[in-house]
Amino acid sequence: MGAIVTGATRGIGLAIAQSFVSERASVVLAGRSIEEGRKCADALGPNAHFISCDLTRKKEIEALTAEADRLFGRIDMLVNNAGDLHRASVLDLPVEEYERIHKLNLTAPFLLTQLVGRIMVRERRGGSIINITSTGAAVCRPGGTTYHVTKAGLAMLTRSSALDLGQYGIRVNAIAPGAFETGLMLSSTSTTPGLRDQLVSTTPLGRNGQVEELADVATFLASRDSSYVTGQQLFVDGGRMMLNPGLKVPEVADWVDFRR
Ligand SMILES: NC(=O)c1ccc[n+]([C@@H]2O[C@H](COP(=O)([O-])OP(=O)(O)OC[C@H]3O[C@@H](n4cnc5c(N)ncnc54)[C@H](OP(=O)(O)O)[C@@H]3O)[C@@H](O)[C@H]2O)c1
């Protein structure tokens, strides 16, 4: 079995790649950090390969897919995990940042779904595509336009591509993480004093998640254990989405920095 996991040089993507390798899959780890990516692949052993790719560039996405196809002769699993955000009030958000985040969070998963989907159709073995969305696909915090719009779009890409690809035995599902203490989450919470504690205190399980807990769910969605599951978005958030309201609206002083 061959897999591509994007954004696998650290954080959630690396944990998913680790979990797939431990289930004896061959995995391409994709990301921009060449040294880090090679180190990660070496640590995972001979079934892991790093391919450098800037997912905001169509040509690099095409090269990534072609190289994974050449390596494995098939691709059975795709995890669209790489993601980023630009925090700014909608009044100040530069269109260049809006477009950059769209390219990474939404256009790249679309292109990969198309390119990898064609390989899966060619091979006639079905497949599993997993999109990493966010609780931010459904609820918002101030200054989060780029993130919320793209993650909500990715949730809908999940459903619409599940509809198109079901006839080929290709399942498409999304995982919406709550708070996992990766670099992305820490850079996001560090600009808002008290946000980390607020997140924990509004999570019914009373803690943030461990990346391995997210990887276990991805492994389930990639495996035959979920063979009748498609078009779903599974919230892995310690129960936080049950709360209404989830977060207090921050005081202006908490997010004024995002305008820089
Ligand atoms: N952590 C959380 O609490 C949380 C919550 C909800 C949703 N999520 C989602 O989970 C996913 C992973 O998040 P994370 O917390 O693990 O983030 P992270 O630790 O910041 O890792 C992000 C990964 O994406 C890659 N990446 C970023 N820009 C890229 C680009 N232009 N081209 C290729 N790769 C790129 C990075 O690799 P390079 O820098 O090497 O390119 C890195 O491997 C994201 O989609 C995020 O929105 C996370």
Side-chain angles (χ1 to χ4, degrees), residues 59-146:
K59 284 214 164 6
E60 294 193 26
I61 292 174
E62 288 166 346
L64 164 72
T65 314
E67 181 61 9
D69 191 20
R70 193 193 61 76
L71 272 171
F72 306 143
R74 58 195 272 188
I75 303 175
D76 305 283
M77 285 103 67
L78 164 67
V79 183
N80 286 310
N81 164 74
D84 199 0
L85 72 163
H86 178 89
R87 300 213 75 85
S89 160
V90 72
L91 296 175
D92 304 321
L93 178 59
V95 69
E96 293 76 16
E97 283 303 312
Y98 184 83
E99 288 175 349
R100 181 181 70 83
I101 298 298
H102 267 73
K103 275 188 188 163
L104 176 63
N105 291 8
L106 196 49
T107 308
F110 155 70
L111 282 171
L112 281 163
T113 297
Q114 185 173 71
L115 294 167
V116 171
R118 286 174 185 159
I119 293 167
M120 288 173 171
V121 170
R122 182 196 74 201
E123 291 302 312
R124 296 170 176 268
R125 296 170 200 258
S128 172
I129 298 175
I130 300 167
N131 295 321
I132 306 300
T133 57
S134 170
T135 50
V139 292
C140 301
R141 61 180 274 215
T145 297
T146 54

Side-chain angles (χ1 to χ4, degrees), residues 6-14 30-34 36-37 50 52-57 60 80-85 100 104-105 132-136 147 151 154 175-187 199 211 214 240:
T6 70
T9 57
R10 58 178 183 269
I12 289 171
L14 177 57
R32 292 164 307 174
S33 317
I34 295 175
E36 209 51 44
F50 171 69
S52 161
C53 177
D54 183 341
L55 291 157
T56 61
R57 298 183 179 175
E60 294 193 26
N80 286 310
N81 164 74
D84 199 0
L85 72 163
R100 181 181 70 83
L104 176 63
N105 291 8
I132 306 300
T133 57
S134 170
T135 50
Y147 198 66
K151 291 298 186 178
L154 187 56
I175 300 174
F180 289 79
E181 291 191 10
T182 62
L184 184 73
M185 195 270 202
L186 294 173
S187 74
L199 289 172
V211 288
L214 209 287
R240 191 149 52 80

